């Protein structure tokens, strides 16, 4: 198997998984937003049986919190889709550019460099969050998994892209 194909699989499969997760997360957030909207409409039309209106206030507060959570989930899903989509587009473009001529190999390496930059873009922020949480006494396994997997992908991908393996 060509090294360019290995790099495409190395970055493409995790990017596709994150893209699907982003779609699911964004869809769930969208559903939560619609539910919160329905709760607001119900609370405004049916004031409740209590005279003071505390039931309607409680429903509105629940709808507001549900809407905020839905928006946050929708936003995280959208960011995950953009992140994974950019990595996927760049790695596919690099594979399409790849050829056995020196100019095409240089172009392949430049586009793969952009893919690695996008891959590692959130790394410093997540590493800082992980270290601060660890210093505070809590362990964040999701962030730890992201840090390890991203670092492995970047190291293996860079070794494949910038060594003599790319010629064969």
């Amino acid at each position: 198997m060509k090294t360019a194909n290995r790099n495409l699989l190395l970055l493409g499969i995790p990017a596709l998984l994150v893209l699907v997760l982003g779609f699911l997360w964004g869809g769930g957030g969208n559903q939560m937003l619609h539910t919160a909207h329905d709760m607001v409409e119900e609370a405004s039309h049916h004031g409740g049986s209590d005279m003071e209106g505390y039931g309607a206030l409680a429903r509105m507060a629940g709808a507001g919190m549900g809407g905020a959570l839905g928006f946050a989930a929708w936003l995280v899903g959208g960011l995950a889709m953009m992140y994974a989509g950019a990595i996927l587009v760049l790695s596919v473009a690099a594979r399409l550019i790849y050829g056995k001529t020196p100019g095409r190999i240089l172009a392949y390496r430049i586009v793969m460099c952009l893919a690695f930059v996008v891959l590692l873009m959130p790394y410093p922020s997540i590493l800082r969050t992980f270290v601060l949480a660890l210093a505070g006494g809590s362990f964040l396994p999701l962030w730890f998994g992201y840090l390890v997997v991203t670092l492995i992908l970047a190291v293996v991908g860079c070794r494949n892209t910038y060594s003599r393996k790319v010629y064969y």
Side-chain angles (χ1 to χ4, degrees):
M1 179 184 296
K2 288 183 184 176
T3 304
N5 291 338
R6 272 189 244 138
N7 274 350
L8 177 62
L9 291 175
L10 184 73
L11 291 180
I13 291 173
L16 278 174
L17 290 174
V18 172
L19 192 66
V20 168
L21 275 170
F23 274 120
L24 292 175
W25 206 325
N30 198 22
Q31 183 64 35
M32 283 189 271
L33 283 170
H34 286 302
T35 303
H37 183 274
D38 292 343
M39 287 173 65
V40 168
E41 283 187 9
E42 182 201 342
S44 64
H45 292 303
H46 306 294
S49 61
D50 58 345
M51 185 182 287
E52 293 84 13
Y54 291 128
L57 288 175
R59 280 190 216 96
M60 294 292 270
M65 285 187 269
L69 181 64
F71 179 72
W74 178 79
L75 185 65
V76 168
L79 290 173
M81 287 188 291
M82 288 190 318
Y83 175 66
I87 293 171
L88 192 61
V89 165
L90 286 170
S91 58
V92 167
R95 178 58 190 105
L96 292 174
I97 290 172
Y98 179 75
K100 296 275 185 184
T101 63
R104 285 185 161 251
I105 290 175
L106 177 63
Y108 170 77
R109 287 179 172 166
I110 290 170
V111 174
M112 283 303 293
C113 177
L114 293 173
F116 293 132
V117 166
V118 171
L119 176 71
L120 294 174
M121 198 176 296
Y123 200 87
S125 176
I126 292 175
L127 180 64
R128 182 184 51 141
T129 302
F130 178 74
V131 169
L132 288 175
L134 204 57
S138 67
F139 180 71
L140 304 173
L142 183 65
W143 290 143
F144 181 71
Y146 170 82
L147 292 170
V148 170
V149 168
T150 304
L151 191 62
I152 289 171
L153 290 175
V155 168
V156 172
C158 284
R159 285 188 63 195
N160 287 342
T161 302
Y162 301 109
S163 67
R164 291 210 169 264
K165 290 181 186 180
V166 82
Y167 290 111
Y168 305 113

